[in-house]
Amino acid sequence: MQTVLKICKKCGVRAGSCSPEGKIHKGCGGELIDTGITTDELMVISKISNDDAFLDAMINLKEKDIIEYNLKMSQFRTQLEQQKASKAQSDTTPKCPHCHSSNIRPISGLGRGASVAMWGAFSKKINKSFECKSCGYTW
Ligand SMILES: [Zn+2]
Ligand SMILES: [Zn+2]
């Protein structure tokens, strides 16, 4: 069973980790109200934005328009997945397959065109997209 986030009606504090049967915020004596937001959803929302107003808006949305809310949640999850994927991609710096140096440069389309026109002998550079600055290897 998932824990549902509760907030104090009086001071607005989040009491997600409070005992499920607790209805009173011990800090101020205010009444705790169910937001309907599960801790799992809260995790997604807080990764998208740490703004309290944003969380409030999501709580309101879930109350008023569950379809729109679910749509937004699935968008957020996709967004987070993509962020994770692009981060993993940027972590793998391209390296020279010959000497494993990361000191490489992409051969631009223009560079390739020029090398074909001006340096016919180096035409094997066609279809290669990287050049190693350390050893000169292209691939
Ligand atoms: Zn309170
Ligand atoms: Zn190299």
Side-chain angles (χ1 to χ4, degrees), residues 111-126:
R112 264 185 282 175
S115 72
V116 176
M118 292 155 64
W119 313 97
F122 295 103
S123 62
K124 62 178 176 198
K125 271 193 180 176
I126 309 173

Side-chain angles (χ1 to χ4, degrees), residues 96 98-101 132 134-137:
C96 170
H98 188 69
C99 69
H100 304 291
S101 163
C132 176
S134 298
C135 72
Y137 186 84

Side-chain angles (χ1 to χ4, degrees), residues 31-94:
E31 187 191 347
L32 288 177
I33 46 168
D34 262 335
T35 60
I37 304 272
T38 64
T39 46
D40 176 53
E41 289 168 334
L42 177 69
M43 219 169 67
V44 174
I45 293 168
S46 62
K47 272 181 188 163
I48 295 289
S49 169
N50 274 323
D51 197 343
D52 274 351
F54 180 73
L55 177 64
D56 281 348
M58 288 307 287
I59 293 168
N60 274 329
L61 187 64
K62 187 166 189 178
E63 232 169 73
K64 288 181 182 125
D65 192 344
I66 186 74
I67 295 168
E68 179 68 21
Y69 174 84
N70 283 335
L71 204 73
K72 282 263 180 293
M73 284 308 289
S74 76
Q75 276 174 4
F76 293 161
R77 287 195 167 97
T78 315
Q79 197 179 320
L80 289 174
E81 283 301 309
Q82 280 169 352
Q83 272 173 15
K84 224 160 73 180
S86 71
K87 204 179 167 193
Q89 234 170 32
S90 64
D91 278 350
T92 51
T93 319

